Amino acid sequence: MKGDTLRVAGHAPVLIRGGRVVDPSQQLDAVADVLLVDGRVARVGEGIEAPEGAETIDAAGLVVTPGLIDVHVHLREPGQEHKETIRSGARAAAAGGFTAVVAMPNTDPPIDSPATVGYVVAAGHRAGGARVFPTGCITVGQAGEQLTEFGELVDAGAVAVTDDGRPVMGAGMLRMALEYALAFDVPVAVHEEELTLSRGGSMNEGIIATRLGLTGIPNEAEDVMIARDLMLAELTGGRLHVQHVSTRRGVALIREAKARGVRVTAEGTPHHFTLTDAAVEAYRTDAKMNPPLRSEADREAVRQGVSDGTLDVIATDHAPHHYDEKEQAFEDAPNGIVGLETALGLSYTELVATGLLDLSGLIDRMSCAPARAMNLDRMGLGSLREGSVADVTIIDPRLEWTVDPTTFLSLSRNTPFTGRALRCRAVRTIVGGATVWQAD
């Protein structure tokens, strides 16, 4: 893809010895060695001899996977660097085991021109952590009135277009976007929210909202937009990517559309398959997000959607906010939580440790499927096949740890998971053959 220059290392080879190699892209799950040379995967197999001068990593008892990829993060730069920067976000991602992230364009100014896309590309190259792939806005200024120049955005390095943070309210506008994006074979990623149904709401509509005296947001505010956009994707043949699905009907609609052959991928977030609106009790603003935490039935539907692949991708919707902003009254506090450094542990604890998903399925949802959804597989990401880019995550699935936001590398600490006991954590993150993060 034009505009993309992948970072690869030109230093000594790396031999990762004796780990359990889990790579769903080639149905591989076996104890093996992995040799990285010149920023590429040179070989995977048993008994590989270390080349002269190679760094050797003992991975016995650990899991070696294609680098994890998060297709939905907010890095806040340009314009809100007090919450996060591209540098801090890329490093937080690496600490969470992610070798690549896809940055949303709702910055200040929005990323709606080749110049702003190029800015993110350049800053990502300088960051030194996970790779950073920008997206571009669907509409100029995210105003919903005029399409951006998709071709110029893609040439500058955008891997998708989205107005995330805002829905595209006009059906005709989204139809044009899906048709226009076909020429560049990029997905149109959508935030599904019917604003006339959600306006004034700050949490899920239900008994808890009533008890707290807060205006609720009904499931239908999301469902009607998912239904509309699936029909438009079917009409146009365009590639639709549905972000942060939170409702049981939304999961069912996507499942049915996939059965009809609609070109759609979709996300489940760790917070939506782990928490319910009960987390908002006592007006906890760290549990305020959009779409909101829903009912237990919705949470279970999202879990099942991730399990059966209806929701192809686990994505964090990493949304950092400054402490003072989250300390406002519930209705006034901004939506969102940080997620890069807790996603792997939450996903393993909630899905794998409970038997809902096996380890290969988890790695598919967090590496291979995200790469396919954003065309990053065409660049050699999301796989450990010979010749692929040497982006590798080494995981300790036995490691038990407790969420402590004071240790985060993100500039923000807004998480509802403080004190949560988790299992499984990344212990080394390798990008382009070079270690960019390692556990102490």
Side-chain angles (χ1 to χ4, degrees), residues 5-50:
T5 304
L6 289 180
R7 184 169 78 250
V8 295
H11 57 72
V14 177
L15 178 62
I16 306 169
R17 192 185 294 281
R20 176 185 172 189
V21 180
V22 178
D23 181 6
S25 76
Q26 46 187 332
Q27 291 78 53
L28 176 62
D29 186 345
V31 174
D33 303 334
V34 179
L35 178 63
L36 312 177
V37 179
D38 294 331
R40 299 278 172 178
V41 178
R43 186 182 165 197
V44 177
E46 296 181 14
I48 299 176
E49 291 294 328

Side-chain angles (χ1 to χ4, degrees), residues 125-204:
H125 286 167
R126 294 191 298 268
R131 302 182 191 277
V132 177
F133 294 97
T135 56
C137 296
I138 295 172
T139 63
V140 175
Q142 297 187 296
E145 298 176 356
Q146 178 186 347
L147 291 181
T148 58
E149 295 292 344
F150 290 6
E152 293 181 2
L153 299 179
V154 171
D155 281 346
V159 298
V161 291
T162 179
D163 274 358
D164 181 55
R166 299 182 187 179
V168 178
M169 288 296 292
M173 183 65 66
L174 190 69
R175 176 184 180 174
M176 285 193 294
L178 286 162
E179 291 173 336
Y180 188 22
L182 279 170
F184 310 101
D185 194 22
V186 294
V188 177
V190 284
H191 170 109
E192 302 290 36
E193 181 182 2
E194 218 295 344
L195 294 176
T196 63
L197 290 173
S198 66
R199 185 170 292 124
S202 56
M203 68 168 293
N204 183 55

Side-chain angles (χ1 to χ4, degrees), residues 27-368:
Q27 291 78 53
L28 176 62
D29 186 345
V31 174
D33 303 334
V34 179
L35 178 63
L36 312 177
V37 179
D38 294 331
R40 299 278 172 178
V41 178
R43 186 182 165 197
V44 177
E46 296 181 14
I48 299 176
E49 291 294 328
E52 185 176 352
E55 176 189 5
T56 299
I57 299 171
D58 181 4
L62 304 176
V63 176
V64 180
T65 77
L68 306 185
I69 299 170
D70 189 351
V71 301
H72 190 158
V73 303
H74 299 268
L75 297 183
R76 305 304 190 197
E77 184 181 354
Q80 295 180 315
E81 288 84 355
H82 65 291
K83 301 183 181 188
E84 195 78 281
T85 65
I86 291 171
R87 181 181 178 85
S88 66
R91 294 188 169 191
F98 292 100
T99 59
V101 298
V102 176
M104 296 298 102
N106 59 332
T107 51
D108 184 16
I111 303 170
D112 60 2
S113 69
T116 47
V117 170
Y119 172 84
V120 176
V121 169
H125 286 167
R126 294 191 298 268
R131 302 182 191 277
V132 177
F133 294 97
T135 56
C137 296
I138 295 172
T139 63
V140 175
Q142 297 187 296
E145 298 176 356
Q146 178 186 347
L147 291 181
T148 58
E149 295 292 344
F150 290 6
E152 293 181 2
L153 299 179
V154 171
D155 281 346
V159 298
V161 291
T162 179
D163 274 358
D164 181 55
R166 299 182 187 179
V168 178
M169 288 296 292
M173 183 65 66
L174 190 69
R175 176 184 180 174
M176 285 193 294
L178 286 162
E179 291 173 336
Y180 188 22
L182 279 170
F184 310 101
D185 194 22
V186 294
V188 177
V190 284
H191 170 109
E192 302 290 36
E193 181 182 2
E194 218 295 344
L195 294 176
T196 63
L197 290 173
S198 66
R199 185 170 292 124
S202 56
M203 68 168 293
N204 183 55
E205 184 174 282
I207 190 169
I208 295 175
T210 301
R211 184 168 67 248
L212 294 176
L214 298 172
T215 301
I217 300 172
N219 284 24
E220 287 73 15
E222 186 173 341
D223 295 340
V224 297
M225 294 292 274
I226 290 176
R228 183 201 75 171
D229 293 349
L230 289 169
M231 288 189 285
L232 292 175
E234 191 166 20
L235 171 66
T236 62
R239 291 177 57 188
L240 184 72
H241 181 77
V242 184
Q243 299 174 307
H244 44 47
V245 179
S246 73
T247 69
R248 55 192 181 276
R249 184 172 293 171
V251 174
L253 287 166
I254 294 166
R255 185 179 288 119
E256 293 161 4
K258 286 190 169 189
R260 297 196 306 273
V262 177
R263 299 176 72 194
V264 57
T265 53
E267 303 168 1
T269 73
H271 46 275
H272 284 121
F273 61 66
T274 302
L275 300 174
T276 69
D277 54 358
V280 177
E281 291 281 15
Y283 303 96
R284 293 182 61 206
T285 58
D286 279 340
K288 183 186 180 187
M289 56 204 67
N290 189 19
L293 298 172
R294 303 283 188 184
S295 70
E296 175 59 28
D298 294 308
R299 184 187 80 92
E300 181 58 30
V302 173
R303 291 175 78 245
Q304 293 297 329
V306 173
S307 175
D308 67 22
T310 299
L311 306 181
D312 322 64
V313 171
I314 293 174
T316 67
D317 192 10
H318 175 80
H321 292 291
H322 191 272
Y323 174 83
D324 291 343
E325 295 166 319
K326 277 290 193 177
E327 281 299 292
Q328 300 180 80
F330 192 90
E331 296 94 329
D332 299 327
N335 293 303
I337 67 172
V338 291
L340 287 168
E341 295 168 80
T342 55
L344 177 59
L346 286 166
S347 299
Y348 187 97
T349 303
E350 182 63 34
L351 303 176
V352 179
T354 61
L356 195 64
L357 200 62
D358 63 16
L359 185 57
S360 182
L362 179 67
I363 301 307
D364 181 68
R365 307 298 187 275
M366 297 190 75
S367 177
C368 309

